[in-house]
Amino acid sequence: PKCALNIIGQVFGNGVVSIPCCQELVKEGNECHDTLIKYIVDRPTLIANETKYLQKRDELWAHCVSVSKAI
């Protein structure tokens, strides 16, 4: 739950995801990550900024994959 909140915080705010949370995210898989963020973005209050949030989602995924490979 803590990592999920950190991930959401980074995509939708100014949060930062730790290395252990990045590893957990990669372990869960890209499909899970994409589905969760897309589900949240579809809310009426967020949909106007969908492109920005989906870009941040993809950037976070790429970052976490690179961090996880480096360890």
Side-chain angles (χ1 to χ4, degrees):
K2 178 181 179 273
C3 286
L5 292 176
N6 288 343
I7 290 163
I8 290 168
Q10 183 162 334
V11 173
F12 296 99
N14 295 318
V16 177
V17 174
S18 66
I19 291 173
C21 286
C22 265
Q23 292 173 309
E24 187 173 313
L25 175 63
V26 172
K27 188 173 76 174
E28 290 299 319
N30 194 25
E31 184 177 349
C32 178
H33 177 58
D34 285 355
T35 303
L36 173 65
I37 300 303
K38 182 69 174 137
Y39 175 79
I40 295 170
V41 167
D42 282 342
R43 297 292 162 263
T45 57
L46 300 174
I47 197 76
N49 292 311
E50 178 181 22
T51 303
K52 177 178 89 171
Y53 295 134
L54 295 182
Q55 180 180 347
K56 288 179 78 172
R57 172 198 70 187
D58 295 345
E59 289 169 357
L60 175 60
W61 176 259
H63 168 74
C64 286
V65 167
S66 69
V67 165
S68 295
K69 286 182 179 177
I71 294 177

